[in-house]
Amino acid sequence: MVFKRRMRLLAGALIVACIVLVGPSAPTDGPFARSMSLEATADVVPNRVMTWNICNPCEESSADRAAEIASYAPQVVGLQEACVRDVERIQDYLESRHGLVYQVEYGSVLRSWGRCGGLPWSPGAFGQAILSLAPMTEHVNVEYPDGGSEDRGYMAVTTTVGDRSVRIFNTHLAQRRQETIRADQIGVLAAAVAQYDRAIVLGDFNAVPDAPELAEMWALATDVDPQCRPAPSGDCELTTDWQSKFDYVFLRGIIPLDHRVRPTRYSDHHPLYGDLDMYTAQPGR
């Protein structure tokens, strides 16, 4: 009996030592692990949308990009310059580290080994992506007839923001000094947006607010920042490292409540997010 008692004491001591060295155990999957992960994450903002050109190739960590997105916890995120492999990793980190389970749809416009890696005969896909915490339907992917110096396009989905169904577009227009090409691209995009009384257009337009080629978008929608207008007197927050506003959350038939541009180390564009009133129709648009 003394021997058995000593063996039990020894086993207990070993268990205590393991806990001290390794730390308390926790399940790595299953409902309990999922609830712990969610508790460690900021609450999702159901009426928040965000746009971010994540810059490829920039050799930034997908884990860092995921943490940046999770810090704002938007309902919907539109990404530009997005390689499919990077978005897949970002999506995985958002779920495993932050408890945010996003659906994803892609708007890839080209396959680029130089930008996105992969094998020379199987390069990665490059373009746009939309992440949504709610399911997405009616996904379309459109390449512009002329992309400029590289292929460009827009994608669109129908999903839920707040508890309202809305059409969401995500685009990346031609590079700077390609104004006439951007004007043609905006003509294609605006024709699609005009079919909806309520729409959100996310993206990198590569144009400042008073650029002539943006006129068709301003005729249809307003920026999430009510002070940002195409007039020279408009007070628009800058969204790039080179002190320009190129990134927009255009709203058609929807009223903005709040917005924020947050500088980041992980891209040459800064995330722009907006909180939206999905219940009050915006007069005039």
Side-chain angles (χ1 to χ4, degrees), residues 81 134 159 162 177 181 196 272:
E81 293 198 29
T159 189
R177 303 182 185 89
I181 294 173
Y196 297 88
L272 164 64

Side-chain angles (χ1 to χ4, degrees), residues 53 80-81 128 144 152-153 170-174 185 204 206:
N53 181 322
Q80 303 87 43
E81 293 198 29
Q128 289 76 245
Y144 295 124
R152 295 289 163 93
N170 182 21
T171 192
H172 187 191
L173 299 189
Q185 293 172 348
D204 173 3
N206 268 321

Side-chain angles (χ1 to χ4, degrees), residues 34 38 41-49 69-70 72-77 91 94-95 98-105 130-136 157-162 168:
R34 176 106 180 99
L38 288 172
T41 304
D43 291 338
V44 171
V45 184
N47 62 332
R48 177 171 292 173
V49 298
I69 293 169
Y72 314 122
Q75 175 76 45
V76 173
V77 187
Q91 184 186 22
L94 283 165
E95 180 172 0
H98 306 285
L100 296 172
V101 183
Y102 283 96
Q103 314 294 314
V104 63
E105 293 286 0
I130 292 177
L131 301 176
S132 174
L133 285 162
M136 291 177 278
V157 300
T158 298
T159 189
T160 300
V161 176
I168 296 185

Side-chain angles (χ1 to χ4, degrees), residues 4 33 41 62 96 99-100 106 131 138 145 150 162-163 172 181 190 198 203 217 235 246-247 256 263 269:
K4 289 181 179 178
T41 304
S62 294
S96 62
L100 296 172
Y106 294 99
L131 301 176
E138 301 175 298
E150 69 178 18
D163 60 0
H172 187 191
I181 294 173
R198 290 160 53 86
M217 280 306 305
D235 183 16
F246 278 4
D247 305 273
H269 288 251

Side-chain angles (χ1 to χ4, degrees), residues 251-268:
L251 304 176
R252 177 170 169 81
I254 298 169
I255 294 177
L257 296 174
D258 195 11
H259 74 283
R260 187 74 59 85
V261 177
R262 297 292 295 270
T264 179
R265 297 178 295 162
Y266 307 122
S267 175
D268 53 359

